[in-house]
């Protein structure tokens, strides 16, 4: 359903844009859990139309309002007809696919977090922009998620409490999902001033290991002198290795098999 604008009347009343009846204004409350999900928008006032069975609530601060079905409270039964029902037994389980309980997710020494059920490292997914899902504003999409592809769930923080709730993964969450490998240590890159002339030999793939970062470089043969903007270009007359990882270039020292790091 598309978003609508609501107009406040001169007498302070709000009229339903569909049926024209006066709507009931209900002030916002605290953030609430609805159907196992956080209702971050509950702090905003809503405008209820009992005739249409819907209520309107503003989308962010745009002046446009989204519409939601109005859930009617069940009628109170007479005291004599009430039946006392036993509460269902609580099932204690760590399977967050069936019971979602807020849990802390402490960081490991390397900064990663692990699934409290299977203890595998999470796949971290950063938050995105606010979006419309099934006609409703998804404010929670701005928060990062911790995906566990093994258990088929993801965890997202409740406000800024340090506690996380588990939700079942959707098809969107499983796209290109791969098990998380142990976080690698950052590679040590040597300062360019500490790189001496180095003996480099290309392998069968025309590559050699970069002395600066350790990744594989591509070999390029030298060529003839070229004119660039009318000026002779002498840079590429010698063989060279190019590292795309740390943007280093190593040029052959004339008459030797040694290569020197170059600025370009």
């Amino acid at each position: 359903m598309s978003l609508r604008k609501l107009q406040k009347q001169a007498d302070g009343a709000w009229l339903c844009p569909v049926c024209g009846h006066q709507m009931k204004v209900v002030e916002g409350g605290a953030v609430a859990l609805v159907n196992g999900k956080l209702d971050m928008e509950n702090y905003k006032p809503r405008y209820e139309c009992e005739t249409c069975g819907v209520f309107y609530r503003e989308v962010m601060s745009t002046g446009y309002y989204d519409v939601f079905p109005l859930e009617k409270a069940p009628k109170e039964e007479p005291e004599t007809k009430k039946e006392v029902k036993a509460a269902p037994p609580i099932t204690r389980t760590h399977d967050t696919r069936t019971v979602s309980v807020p849990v802390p997710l402490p960081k490991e020494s390397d900064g990663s977090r692990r699934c409290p059920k299977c203890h595998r490292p999470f796949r971290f997914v950063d938050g995105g922009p606010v979006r419309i899902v099934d006609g409703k504003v998804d404010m929670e999409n701005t928060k990062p998620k911790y995906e566990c592809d093994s258990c088929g769930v993801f965890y997202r923080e409740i406000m800024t409490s340090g506690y996380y709730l588990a939700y079942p993964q959707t098809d969107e969450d499983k796209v290109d999902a791969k098990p998380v490998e142990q976080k690698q240590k950052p590679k040590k890159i040597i300062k360019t001033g500490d790189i001496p002339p180095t003996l480099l030999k290309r392998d069968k793939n025309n590559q050699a290991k970069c002395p600066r970062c350790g990744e594989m470089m591509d070999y390029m043969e030298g060529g003839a002198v070229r004119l660039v903007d009318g000026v002779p270009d002498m840079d590429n007359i010698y063989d060279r290795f190019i590292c795309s990882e740390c943007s280093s270039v190593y040029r052959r020292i004339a008459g030797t098999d040694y290569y020197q790091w170059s600025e370009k």
Side-chain angles (χ1 to χ4, degrees):
M1 185 174 291
S2 59
L3 303 179
R4 296 174 178 270
K5 273 199 173 254
L6 299 181
Q7 296 293 335
K8 187 177 182 180
Q9 305 300 305
D11 59 357
W14 294 81
L15 301 183
C16 176
V18 177
C19 69
H21 286 83
Q22 183 172 340
M23 295 188 292
K24 177 183 176 183
V25 180
V26 179
E27 294 299 327
V31 175
L33 275 176
V34 179
N35 295 329
K37 297 183 179 180
L38 273 177
D39 182 10
M40 300 290 293
E41 300 293 282
N42 193 52
Y43 70 92
K44 298 180 180 179
R46 51 195 235 173
Y47 305 89
E48 299 180 352
C49 177
E50 295 184 356
T51 304
C52 298
V54 297
F55 71 87
Y56 293 84
R57 191 159 57 188
E58 187 178 14
V59 177
M60 300 181 70
S61 55
T62 60
Y64 286 86
Y65 292 76
D66 203 356
V67 61
F68 305 90
L70 184 61
E71 296 181 2
K72 295 183 179 179
K75 294 182 179 179
E76 190 73 15
E77 297 180 8
E79 192 69 27
T80 55
K81 295 184 179 180
K82 283 187 178 179
E83 295 182 5
V84 179
K85 298 180 180 179
I90 299 176
T91 302
R92 300 290 182 182
T93 175
H94 293 290
D95 189 350
T96 52
R97 287 173 291 184
T98 56
V99 176
S100 182
V101 178
V103 294
L105 297 179
K107 285 186 178 181
E108 301 286 317
S109 58
D110 60 357
S112 65
R113 301 177 193 264
R114 292 180 178 270
C115 175
K117 180 177 180 294
C118 68
H119 304 292
R120 290 186 173 90
F122 283 119
R123 175 169 55 87
F124 178 80
V125 178
D126 208 349
V130 176
R131 59 184 182 176
I132 304 295
V133 179
D134 296 331
K136 297 182 181 180
V137 179
D138 181 16
M139 297 290 294
E140 296 296 284
N141 193 55
T142 59
K143 298 180 180 179
K145 296 189 292 187
Y146 296 89
E147 302 272 0
C148 179
D149 301 309
S150 175
C151 298
V153 298
F154 69 87
Y155 287 79
R156 193 155 51 190
E157 188 178 17
I158 304 172
M159 301 181 69
T160 55
S161 64
Y163 283 80
Y164 296 75
L165 273 175
Y167 303 90
Q169 285 183 331
T170 63
D171 291 338
E172 178 185 354
D173 299 316
K174 297 176 183 178
V175 173
D176 296 329
K178 296 179 180 179
V180 174
E181 298 291 339
Q182 188 69 22
K183 189 175 181 180
Q184 296 181 350
K185 294 182 180 179
K187 296 177 181 177
K188 183 178 179 181
I189 298 180
I190 302 174
K191 294 180 180 179
T192 56
D194 296 334
I195 303 175
T198 307
L199 180 65
L200 296 176
K201 291 185 179 181
R202 49 180 167 161
D203 59 17
K204 61 181 180 181
N205 296 319
N206 253 8
Q207 292 182 317
K209 191 174 182 180
C210 176
R212 188 182 182 201
C213 69
E215 292 296 322
M216 298 305 291
M217 305 183 293
D218 295 318
Y219 171 80
M220 296 188 68
E221 291 184 351
V225 177
R226 298 182 303 166
L227 285 177
V228 179
D229 297 329
V231 179
D233 179 15
M234 306 291 290
D235 288 336
N236 296 323
I237 62 175
Y238 297 112
D239 300 344
R240 59 197 182 279
F241 285 95
I242 299 176
C243 179
S244 58
E245 180 68 22
C246 65
S247 302
S248 293
V249 178
Y250 299 85
R251 300 186 184 278
R252 184 193 292 271
I253 300 174
T256 71
D257 288 329
Y258 283 83
Y259 289 75
Q260 179 66 60
W261 181 88
S262 174
E263 293 184 0
K264 59 179 182 177

